[in-house]
Amino acid sequence: MSKIDTNRPFLPVRIAVMTVSDSRTLETDTSGAALVARIEAAGHIVAARTIVSDDTDLIAAQLGAWIADPLVDVVITNGGTGVTGRDVTPEAFERVLEKRIEGFGELFRMLSYQKIGTSTIQSRAVAGVAGGTYLFALPGSTGAVKDGWDDILVFQLDSRHRPCNFVELMPRLREGLKETSHHD
């Protein structure tokens, strides 16, 4: 069973937060604020925070900038994962991902089903890795952000989580790439 091993050191990671929305501002972005509060409460560093409109090119460009930034280990987006015409976050992720983490979306929807039933089918939560950076796309509701963080990411981004976690893999994410890792 999974657990936190208090004999291991906690290693804070640098997380960038992107809210994908045509209508939110920093003042009205309750989902982004909830995510930032949880990241900080867990002992991690909020490396950056922004709001990007529902535009595939703009989202992909911001993801690319953060993937290239050595001060960003993880990107978490919220919003734009539904099925309407303006929901394009997964398409932007597809432009930049090198490897998908299929289990993230599957686990998110499984956990979400326990709370909102079949409505979870409308979520296209996705995750992956690009340039040695983890990327996670959560739905934009505050409840979904809380569920994604509280039920999955708080554990997988904790270096003490056993039997395994994403943090312990960070030094190896760029294996096979020509550049040196910025996660060493």
Side-chain angles (χ1 to χ4, degrees), residues 136-153:
F136 302 97
L138 294 169
S141 74
T142 303
V145 166
K146 290 177 180 178
D147 292 346
W149 180 265
D150 296 349
D151 296 342
I152 304 171
L153 293 175

Side-chain angles (χ1 to χ4, degrees), residues 1 49 56-57 62 64 74 120 140 183:
M1 196 66 188
R49 180 180 177 195
T56 311
D57 293 334
Q62 183 61 67
V74 176
T120 192
H183 297 287

Side-chain angles (χ1 to χ4, degrees), residues 62-70 72 75 96 130-133 135 174 182:
Q62 183 61 67
L63 291 172
W66 282 340
I67 291 164
D69 186 339
V72 174
V75 175
V96 300
T133 302
L135 307 171
R174 297 178 61 87
H182 64 260

Side-chain angles (χ1 to χ4, degrees), residues 11-18 35 39 44-49 62-63 66-77 93 101 104 127-138 149 153-154 156-158 166-168 170 173 182-183:
L11 303 172
V13 295
R14 299 169 303 252
I15 303 172
V17 175
M18 179 194 313
L35 188 52
I39 290 166
H44 298 295
I45 300 155
V46 176
R49 180 180 177 195
Q62 183 61 67
L63 291 172
W66 282 340
I67 291 164
D69 186 339
L71 298 180
V72 174
D73 300 314
V74 176
V75 175
I76 305 174
T77 69
F93 268 56
I101 303 172
F104 177 78
V129 179
T133 302
Y134 286 113
L135 307 171
F136 302 97
L138 294 169
W149 180 265
L153 293 175
V154 71
Q156 282 299 299
L157 295 177
D158 190 323
F166 286 138
V167 178
E168 64 193 358
M170 285 179 167
L173 290 180
H182 64 260
H183 297 287

